[in-house]
Amino acid sequence: MRQELNYLKETPSQTAGPYVHIGLAPGAAGFDIYRQELGWDIAGPNARGERIRVEGCVIDGMGSPIKDVLLEAWQANAEGIYAHPEHDGEVEEGFRGWGRVITDFDTGEWGFDTVKPGPVTNADGRVMAPHISLWIVARGINVGLQTRLYFEDEADANAADPVIGLIEWERRRQTLIARRSERDGKPVYRFDIKLQGQDETVFFDI
Amino acid sequence: MKPGPLYQRDRQWHPPALTPDYKTSVSRSPQYSMISLETTVSEITGPVFGHNDIDPIDKDLLSNYAKPGESPIGERIILHGRVLDENARPIPNTLVEIWQANAGGRYRHKKDTYLAPIDPNFGGCGRTISDADGYYHFRTVKPGAYPWRNWVNNWRPAHIHMSIFGTAFAQRLITQCYFEGDPLIAKCPIVNSIPDPQAVEQLTARLDLNATIPLDTIAYKFDIVVRGRRSILFENRPEGN
């Protein structure tokens, strides 16, 4: 009789459904219940670095913006340090690096304010270009989708990034690059996420 | 020995992206292959929450939206269990958030138009942080089944949506907890997006009489498992893979 390995299985995922806001953003569902909702201030008031805005849409296979999607963002600070005990280094007081993002229910547009992250050194010593990790859930998405946002104005770092380098096709690499413009003197990065089609965004099996 | 990358996610245990019987998945499922990425520091880290972020009442859905002296209508239940990883180690201090319909199957959401009434004493959301042993518990009412537009006549089994963080962004998980004995479980296209019947069993909470409060509240037990992490036993390739 062979021995048993006795690992547990990961709890299987199910869709977040159309009413995800009740649990994760009840104000958007239409009621006030918690002292504070979580994830609305990613960088906090003391974060160093360039203040930026990120905006976009998540677009379905019909070309329509998804209005009931919820995203979460996870990023390092401007020095490339994550607010997490397993990452060496200090972050600014109030910097969490995590945010929760919902859409305008009428248009599907979403956006958030943060600071631009710095390059991050991985455990293997290789440097990753500045990026924001995104996790996307909605009705019709059975397992949360994971992708990364990189910055247009970091072309050299992007070219050397080991994760972008895993993507064989230049056209697909471009789906991870947020386009920079300025509004009222503040940098705005546009990052549309396409779930299907020729320009389908790269998603990672992490 | 130090913790390393996460175990690979078993994509055959989870539902695939495209599950045509759940119609909304058809236009929302990526069609190209995902790019496989061994977890980097960006994915083995994740947000940390503390008791300053939430309040003790947040985990009590019987009282967190009820008027003083009143409580929501429905079967009073305790939902409890542990957050573990695939190595069966408890995950302490992790945020667990839930949301659900009321006992009549109606959500308190501006987009829900089902004719069952809103319960004035029930918000339908709760959150807590697991204790040092990974243990969590909520008090709520058992949600009702409700109809939804998929086929002409689909009914969701009673379920509570659950959101779990773990300690790493790549452990992030949303799922749904069902209740044993519900005949709608087997008929639901969302449940049946999961290919393995054993995996559906894992989403089915068990009646737990030992955890009930006699003459007061019945109990269901639901353990949550997030991805485990490899231990780095040999650093054969310290300069990168």
Side-chain angles (χ1 to χ4, degrees):
Chain A
M1 190 74 175
R2 292 177 307 161
Q3 296 187 12
E4 295 292 334
L5 284 173
N6 288 325
Y7 291 112
L8 302 179
K9 294 296 289 183
E10 185 188 8
T11 299
S13 174
Q14 291 270 264
T15 179
Y19 305 127
V20 60
H21 315 92
I22 297 172
L24 308 189
F31 65 110
D32 181 24
I33 185 165
Y34 293 140
R35 171 170 53 86
Q36 58 174 347
E37 295 190 9
L38 299 172
W40 302 121
D41 188 0
I42 297 174
N46 305 312
R48 295 179 289 274
E50 185 179 30
R51 295 273 164 180
I52 63 169
R53 182 163 179 80
V54 178
E55 295 177 347
C57 273
V58 180
I59 297 163
D60 71 14
M62 308 298 180
S64 298
I66 297 183
K67 297 169 183 173
D68 52 11
V69 71
L70 181 141
L71 301 92
E72 287 184 359
W74 174 241
Q75 67 165 88
N77 71 2
E79 282 84 47
I81 305 299
Y82 283 101
H84 189 271
E86 280 188 54
H87 204 197
D88 295 335
E90 295 287 313
V91 298
E92 303 86 337
E93 172 85 31
F95 180 88
R96 180 170 263 163
W98 170 77
R100 209 163 241 177
V101 188
I102 58 167
T103 66
D104 181 304
F105 285 166
D106 293 324
T107 64
E109 286 276 334
W110 52 262
F112 58 89
D113 296 301
T114 185
V115 295
K116 190 176 170 189
V120 172
T121 304
N122 196 19
D124 60 10
R126 296 183 70 178
V127 176
M128 297 187 284
H131 64 278
I132 300 176
S133 297
L134 295 172
W135 179 75
I136 302 149
V137 294
R139 177 174 64 104
I141 295 177
N142 289 327
V143 185
L145 299 170
Q146 287 156 311
T147 188
R148 285 185 175 196
L149 177 159
Y150 287 86
F151 297 90
E152 181 181 28
D153 50 320
E154 298 282 347
D156 291 345
N158 292 343
D161 181 81
V163 175
I164 291 177
L166 294 171
I167 305 164
E168 182 179 347
W169 310 272
E170 176 59 29
R171 182 186 181 116
R172 298 217 67 207
R173 294 180 181 188
Q174 292 302 315
T175 68
L176 301 186
I177 311 296
R179 304 294 160 193
R180 181 178 170 120
S181 62
E182 288 209 357
R183 186 187 308 144
D184 302 328
K186 184 177 175 181
V188 177
Y189 289 90
R190 180 82 194 176
F191 191 67
D192 288 325
I193 297 166
K194 297 189 173 71
L195 299 188
Q196 294 180 354
Q198 196 169 28
D199 292 314
E200 179 181 308
T201 299
V202 166
F203 299 104
F204 292 101
D205 184 11
I206 295 170
Chain B
M1 196 169 95
K2 60 184 180 183
L6 293 166
Y7 296 152
Q8 121 177 315
R9 181 165 256 171
D10 183 351
R11 295 278 172 182
Q12 293 172 315
W13 187 251
H14 288 281
L18 175 60
T19 48
D21 283 344
Y22 174 27
K23 292 184 180 181
T24 312
S25 75
V26 173
S27 65
R28 295 185 172 193
S29 44
Q31 295 171 323
Y32 294 155
S33 298
M34 288 187 285
I35 302 294
S36 297
L37 173 62
E38 186 170 10
T39 45
T40 73
V41 67
S42 301
E43 292 85 27
I44 64 171
T45 56
V48 177
F49 300 96
H51 290 279
N52 291 335
D53 289 313
I54 65 172
D55 293 318
I57 196 179
D58 293 351
K59 65 176 175 294
D60 186 10
L61 285 72
L62 293 185
S63 67
N64 70 7
Y65 202 72
K67 298 180 187 70
E70 300 186 13
S71 60
I73 291 186
E75 185 180 352
R76 297 158 61 85
I77 65 168
I78 290 165
L79 180 68
H80 77 122
R82 295 171 83 198
V83 185
L84 305 164
D85 71 9
E86 289 172 287
N87 300 310
R89 293 192 190 101
I91 306 287
N93 306 316
T94 192
L95 181 65
V96 180
E97 298 164 291
I98 65 169
W99 68 100
Q100 63 170 96
N102 68 24
R106 175 73 183 270
Y107 285 100
R108 184 177 286 278
H109 191 289
K110 59 172 77 163
K111 296 287 185 188
D112 188 7
T113 56
Y114 180 40
L115 52 79
I118 290 282
D119 184 333
N121 290 307
F122 191 67
C125 60
R127 55 189 185 179
T128 190
I129 291 177
S130 62
D131 73 11
D133 299 315
Y135 185 77
Y136 77 91
H137 64 279
F138 293 96
R139 203 166 67 143
T140 185
V141 295
K142 192 172 177 187
Y146 59 85
W148 60 298
R149 290 180 187 280
N150 186 65
W151 299 326
V152 170
N153 186 22
N154 273 123
W155 293 78
R156 292 301 326 278
H159 63 278
I160 295 178
H161 296 267
M162 307 192 76
S163 159
I164 301 99
F165 279 83
T167 59
F169 201 55
Q171 288 173 326
R172 192 79 181 83
L173 182 71
I174 278 182
T175 190
Q176 300 182 28
C177 160
Y178 304 99
F179 296 89
E180 70 166 324
D182 187 340
L184 290 170
I185 293 173
K187 298 183 183 302
C188 178
I190 290 177
V191 174
N192 289 332
S193 68
I194 298 171
D196 190 325
Q198 290 293 323
V200 174
E201 294 291 316
Q202 195 179 355
L203 293 186
T204 307
R206 290 283 294 269
L207 175 67
D208 183 359
L209 276 178
N210 288 346
T212 59
I213 303 172
L215 304 179
D216 184 326
T217 308
I218 201 166
Y220 286 87
K221 182 163 185 284
F222 188 80
D223 285 339
I224 300 159
V225 181
V226 299
R227 299 167 65 187
R229 290 179 64 173
R230 289 193 347 236
S231 299
I232 298 180
L233 303 172
F234 304 99
E235 296 203 59
N236 288 342
R237 292 188 293 173
E239 292 311 309
N241 299 310

